[in-house]
Amino acid sequence: MRLEFIGAAHTVTGSCYLLESQEKYFLIDCGMFQGSKRVRELNYEEFPFVPADIEGVLLTHAHVDHCGLLPKLVREGFKGTIYATKSTCELCQIMLPDSAHIQTSDAELLNRKGRRRGDTPVQALYSIDDAMEALKHLSSVPYEKDLQLADNIRVVFRDAGHILGSAFLEVYVTENGKTTKLVFSGDIGQPNQPILKDPARETGADFLIVESTYGDRLHQIYDKETKLLEVVNDTMDRGGNLIIPSFAVGRTQTLLYYFYNLWKQGRMDGDIPIIIDSPLAIAATRVFLKNFQDFDEDALALFKKSGKIPRFPQVRVCETAAESRALNSEEGSAVIISASGMCDAGRVLHHLKHNLWRPESTILFVGYQAEGSLGRRLVDGIKRVRVLGEEVAVKAQIMTMNGFSAHADSNQLLDWISGIQNPAPAKIFILHGEAQSQEALKARIQKECKVEAYIPFRGDLVQIVGRASEIQPSNVPEVSVEMEMEDVLRDFDADYRQLRQKVLSLVLRQPKQMEPIIKVLTKGRNYLRKLFAPYNI
């Protein structure tokens, strides 16, 4: 058999792997690339396979970096079946049309601006019609049940504990009388989290394909409810808004769970408005409440009594865009939970535009921020950002609460991996992570698990016979080089903006210094041009 790494290789997003055996082709995930502009451009490249040749897709969960290119796949000729758990199928019913809406809206905005410049119109990555067509290919698969994909291939979906319906996959491939077991982790969840069950334990594999999102970090263990309450109270005391960019699936429901507990315990003022401003999050919450079979015992005890979100007085939902816009003209302070979680799109951008410049407001990040995303730049300390075409000064408090992540951290991943002993993997392939996370996890795996680990590049292909494997490296350009360069340029830009502000302040206080400073700046600019001359820049 052959396994090709199409996405999530040296990047955090775009999960997609192509498995071929006996001239039958299957994809594991078909996800969208997110992050910097260069990374997002990968979504528009042609698939390195013929979509019509793909027999089926095994979908680990409904996050768009795992399912977001399914509409494109179907539009370009895929006729097979998309296999996923019941909850994942239901979440895709809202996630894919929402993604399509974002694609078409972004294209319309670009084209409105482009027409004034005479630019060639851009096409949306896919349409809502494409998304609706993709949904017709979904087929629900129960956890822990054998799925026979082909005469020689069977699959078992097991609970990954990451988001509702998430799974890791056991794929059994029989060739020449020998069966090889591959385990695709998808995204492994963090144990002991609200609502969902802990990840199931895997006992054996011949090859493991594992994520590494938090491969170099540990989640902080602390009282999240108390910390959340402190952030709320501090922001309300300052008279600002608390803006929480939140992933619609998983994170928003966890926040509601914590806020409900704080209110029920009498610890949080019932007059503080908590506003859910994300149609996707509202729809996702309704899906959650239809799938109690995926809940842990504590969540069952809380939710199943009424079959709906327990009511507490300060919660409001914004269904329409008009209601969302009205929030930014309301007096008083509020907690606003809005998508998207990495601030790449959605209603949260409007709330950032109206609150980033306010010192009394707080922007609280409770999830992973990918390289190149607006959320990551804010967390990294950028002082000015462009939001919806307008440059905004960052004066609000930027805070991060770790430990909310739906991903296992380094120790939790190692604990899960180390349980795979019967047999232990012959090789582990590390994907879905930034370079430092992947390298850190690789070092720990090889030292603590005594298993050879490899970090694939996009387009790498591995030939597998039994427990033997041979890697055929690709010649696909490496995306992470661009990402690393962006990091350097972002730091350079931050230094320049700080210098610019200091120079302006000095000249305003001491106008006589303007002429010598202009001379220094001119010398510096000429020197930079000289330095870059050999590169024709």
Side-chain angles (χ1 to χ4, degrees):
M1 83 185 84
R2 305 195 319 166
L3 179 65
E4 184 175 354
F5 302 100
I6 307 239
H10 281 75
T11 61
V12 182
T13 58
S15 294
C16 186
Y17 319 119
L18 176 63
L19 179 66
E20 183 269 325
S21 176
Q22 297 182 2
E23 299 185 353
K24 290 188 179 295
Y25 299 87
F26 295 91
L27 291 182
I28 292 85
D29 287 340
C30 189
M32 183 180 292
F33 289 94
Q34 298 171 297
S36 69
K37 180 181 178 182
R38 173 66 188 96
V39 173
R40 296 195 306 272
E41 286 173 350
L42 295 176
N43 294 315
Y44 293 87
E45 292 186 0
E46 290 186 7
F47 288 115
F49 52 79
V50 178
D53 290 344
I54 304 299
E55 300 270 343
V57 179
L58 303 171
L59 184 58
T60 61
H61 63 284
H63 277 153
V64 292
D65 61 325
H66 290 256
C67 72
L69 289 188
L70 288 172
K72 178 184 175 184
L73 184 75
V74 171
R75 188 189 64 202
E76 296 188 5
F78 172 74
K79 304 295 184 185
T81 302
I82 302 168
Y83 301 98
T85 66
K86 174 180 179 293
S87 297
T88 295
C89 289
E90 293 180 11
L91 286 172
C92 283
Q93 299 282 340
I94 60 174
M95 298 290 283
L96 293 181
D98 181 78
S99 177
H101 174 72
I102 291 172
Q103 305 306 316
T104 53
S105 297
D106 286 351
E108 289 170 2
L109 178 62
L110 288 172
N111 286 333
R112 281 200 301 272
K113 294 180 178 179
R115 278 194 294 271
R116 295 192 289 269
R117 297 191 298 264
D119 294 346
T120 302
V122 299
Q123 298 296 318
L125 182 60
Y126 50 79
S127 68
I128 291 178
D129 287 343
D130 296 326
M132 299 308 292
E133 188 63 32
L135 296 176
K136 297 177 183 177
H137 294 255
L138 287 168
S139 178
S140 176
V141 179
Y143 284 121
E144 305 293 343
K145 300 292 185 182
D146 281 5
L147 169 67
Q148 199 71 38
L149 282 183
D151 291 341
N152 70 318
I153 303 175
R154 67 181 176 92
V155 180
V156 179
F157 284 68
R158 306 197 62 207
D159 197 338
H162 172 60
I163 65 168
L164 190 76
S166 61
F168 64 88
L169 308 176
E170 298 176 347
V171 181
Y172 300 84
V173 182
T174 302
E175 293 179 332
N176 301 318
K178 293 183 178 180
T179 298
T180 300
K181 179 181 178 182
L182 299 92
V183 172
F184 294 85
S185 75
D187 288 342
I188 297 298
Q190 187 180 175
N192 302 315
Q193 294 302 294
I195 303 177
L196 299 181
K197 299 174 184 176
D198 288 352
R201 304 292 295 189
E202 180 56 71
T203 58
D206 295 306
F207 294 93
L208 172 63
I209 297 86
V210 69
E211 65 129 326
S212 58
T213 311
Y214 282 84
D216 64 337
R217 280 161 286 180
L218 300 178
H219 296 314
Q220 295 178 14
I221 306 300
Y222 61 101
D223 183 348
K224 297 184 185 67
E225 288 181 2
T226 297
K227 179 61 177 177
L228 184 61
L229 181 62
E230 290 173 356
V231 176
V232 170
N233 289 340
D234 179 63
T235 306
M236 300 302 109
D237 289 344
R238 297 199 314 271
N241 290 319
L242 172 58
I243 309 300
I244 307 180
S246 179
F247 298 103
V249 179
R251 202 60 41 81
T252 296
Q253 292 75 33
T254 299
L255 287 167
L256 282 174
Y257 184 93
Y258 284 139
F259 280 130
Y260 174 76
N261 283 339
L262 287 168
W263 170 78
K264 186 178 179 182
Q265 296 161 12
R267 300 173 63 195
M268 190 164 108
D269 187 344
D271 293 331
I272 298 172
I274 299 173
I275 301 164
I276 312 303
D277 185 25
S278 166
L280 184 62
I282 296 166
T285 302
R286 292 176 180 140
V287 173
F288 265 68
L289 295 172
K290 290 164 52 182
N291 287 279
F292 292 133
Q293 74 278 355
D294 293 344
F295 286 14
D296 64 16
E297 292 181 1
D298 291 338
L300 280 173
L302 177 64
F303 289 108
K304 205 167 185 179
K305 291 178 182 177
S306 61
K308 58 185 179 182
I309 300 174
R311 291 289 180 184
F312 52 117
Q314 65 264 55
V315 172
R316 291 166 46 193
V317 296
C318 284
E319 297 275 8
T320 68
E323 290 174 321
S324 176
R325 287 192 296 270
L327 293 176
N328 291 308
S329 59
E330 290 185 2
E331 295 184 0
S333 300
V335 177
I336 301 175
I337 304 172
S338 187
S340 71
M342 290 189 284
C343 307
D344 282 331
R347 294 181 181 181
V348 74
L349 293 176
H350 293 277
H351 302 308
L352 291 176
K353 180 179 176 180
H354 286 86
N355 286 275
L356 275 173
W357 55 271
R358 301 178 62 198
E360 63 269 27
S361 290
T362 301
I363 317 300
L364 175 62
F365 290 97
V366 293
Y368 183 80
Q369 304 300 310
E371 288 282 0
S373 66
L374 175 56
R376 181 62 168 266
R377 283 180 281 150
L378 289 170
V379 169
D380 286 346
I382 193 168
K383 298 304 180 184
R384 300 185 73 85
V385 293
R386 184 166 290 276
V387 183
L388 297 174
E390 183 176 327
E391 192 167 271
V392 181
V394 180
K395 295 184 179 180
Q397 288 200 24
I398 308 298
M399 300 187 67
T400 299
M401 279 185 63
N402 296 315
F404 274 92
S405 176
H407 290 268
D409 67 14
S410 180
N411 282 351
Q412 292 160 349
L413 277 173
L414 259 293
D415 179 63
W416 187 79
I417 293 169
S418 63
I420 306 175
Q421 292 292 331
N422 190 27
K427 185 171 290 183
I428 295 176
F429 298 96
I430 301 173
L431 294 114
H432 205 291
E434 295 171 5
Q436 65 271 21
S437 297
Q438 293 178 319
E439 291 292 347
L441 185 61
K442 176 182 177 180
R444 289 197 65 183
I445 286 172
Q446 295 189 153
K447 179 180 179 180
E448 299 175 33
C449 301
K450 311 299 182 186
V451 176
E452 182 182 357
Y454 177 74
I455 303 173
F457 288 88
R458 193 164 59 98
D460 279 3
L461 188 149
V462 56
Q463 296 271 6
I464 296 174
V465 178
R467 285 175 58 84
S469 64
E470 179 182 349
I471 296 168
Q472 299 177 7
S474 74
N475 295 314
V476 177
E478 178 48 49
V479 178
S480 65
V481 171
E482 186 267 347
M483 294 170 67
E484 291 172 12
M485 193 69 244
E486 275 200 342
D487 285 344
V488 174
L489 291 173
R490 190 179 302 121
D491 290 342
F492 187 88
D493 184 61
D495 288 343
Y496 159 73
R497 290 180 183 277
Q498 289 181 7
L499 176 64
R500 183 178 185 275
Q501 188 61 45
K502 290 177 181 178
V503 167
L504 284 172
S505 298
L506 175 62
V507 169
L508 286 173
R509 293 194 309 270
Q510 304 178 43
K512 292 182 180 180
Q513 297 294 332
M514 184 170 70
E515 186 174 343
I517 285 177
I518 289 174
K519 290 181 179 179
V520 171
L521 290 173
T522 302
K523 287 182 180 179
R525 182 175 61 187
N526 292 336
Y527 180 63
L528 277 176
R529 287 174 175 170
K530 183 178 179 181
L531 286 176
F532 283 103
Y535 304 98
N536 296 317
I537 295 176

